[in-house]
Amino acid sequence: HNYQNESVDNLIKHAQIQQAATFLRAGETVAFPTETVYGLGANALSDIATGKIFEAKGRPSDNPLIVHIAEQNQLVDIVDNIPPLAIKLMEHFWPGPLTLVLPKGKKVCKSVSAGLDTVAVRIPQHPIALALLKACQLPIAAPSANRSGRPSPTTAEHVLEDLSGKIAGVVDGGAAGVGLESTVVDVTGKVPMILRPGGVTMDQLRHVVGEVLVDPAITDSDQKHGDEAFIPKSPGVKYQHYAPKGQMWLVSEDFGLEKMRERLQALVKRDREAGYRVAVLTTDEGVDQYTADHVVSLGQRNNLDSVASKIYASLRTCDQMGIERIYAEAFPKSGVGMAIMNRLLKAADGKMLGTE
Ligand code: TXA
Ligand code: MG
């Protein structure tokens, strides 16, 4: 069904949305599209309901969930108090791909916050997500709707690939928008801190609230893989995520795109001669320059939004094609590039090759 041009109020009346809302009210799990990736939802006020999310995903119980709401007034049940900084951020970025970590309210069930005294909340922007949240009149806990450790789903097909038979259903709304998860920002301290880079960029945040920090665990693990000194404040960040079945490496662009492509093609050639099935993740500018078993363009280098939207789907395609080794071009870390590089490095388990 094409929901793009329908209003939230119209969508609420759809049989699919009503059915999904009924499942959610009955304590079942339902997957639905958001403007970032597909989420797997359950009643955030019920431990039994949210327990089903952990079970379906195979998610470690110490990894808390994001609570999704349709309107700011629902916060009264979920959070304890709202710092002024947080209000500013909500006004600018909600509905949208920004998740705020706030002091936890009493009604939120234990498994949602995984025992922390904070809770992560966002108002999504996707009309179907909003219609579903309004129809069920509950705060809905929803992590990405993939099996734990797999690339996040950006289509309903991806959801079924991972969770078919394990959930009550999925609302199919076509491809999700951004393609990468929301930015998670801790607003419980004096200065907001990015715990996970995502759809809302650091520059956008700084524009609204001035100083913004980045959890050192993120920047550090992006650079020095394997250093145990930093434990991320966002529990989910420590798990190896987004992993394709094949091994993956990034190739640095620090010494120019030409050097990057030369090195990358040499690696592909070596591995193919050794008998591996090899894929390359590149952009429109690079597609013609590689010979591999599978060459994917993520869009254009000067349009990082298109790159972001295609990463997860391209990793899943590599899996389906039985790709054993993936080489990906690196991107600049500015704008949404910060989230792109964070996800690519995770998929590559931190492995980045230089060109000098
Ligand atoms: O875009 C998104 O955020 C998607 C869609 C479905 O909304 N959801 C999503 O959820 O990505 P999930 O569970 O895959 O990632 C949630 C992240 C994890 O890294 C988790 O550790 C962190 O948010 N998180 C949740 N609650 C937290 C808390 N109280 N403090 C710190 N980090 C928290
Ligand atoms: Mg996830």
Side-chain angles (χ1 to χ4, degrees), residues 37 57 59 63 143-146 150 152 181 196 241-242:
V37 299
K57 282 182 58 91
R59 183 178 177 104
N63 191 2
S144 49
N146 50 291
R150 295 266 295 142
S152 294
E181 298 86 344
R196 176 179 74 180
H241 254 68
Y242 326 114

Side-chain angles (χ1 to χ4, degrees), residues 32 34 36-40 57 59 63-66 68 99 101-102 112-113 116 118-120 122 142-146 152 180-184 195-196 233-237 241:
F32 59 94
T34 80
T36 58
V37 299
Y38 273 69
L40 179 62
K57 282 182 58 91
R59 183 178 177 104
N63 191 2
L65 308 175
I66 295 172
H68 296 65
T99 295
V101 172
L102 290 156
V112 165
S113 56
L116 300 172
T118 53
V119 63
R122 82 180 188 101
S144 49
N146 50 291
S152 294
L180 298 178
E181 298 86 344
S182 62
T183 306
V184 178
L195 305 186
R196 176 179 74 180
K233 291 186 182 57
S234 183
V237 172
H241 254 68

Side-chain angles (χ1 to χ4, degrees), residues 240-260:
Q240 200 207 330
H241 254 68
Y242 326 114
K245 289 176 185 145
Q247 277 219 73
M248 177 162 157
W249 290 264
L250 263 84
V251 180
S252 161
E253 41 122 47
D254 284 357
F255 295 97
L257 296 176
E258 208 170 309
K259 282 224 163 109
M260 172 185 76

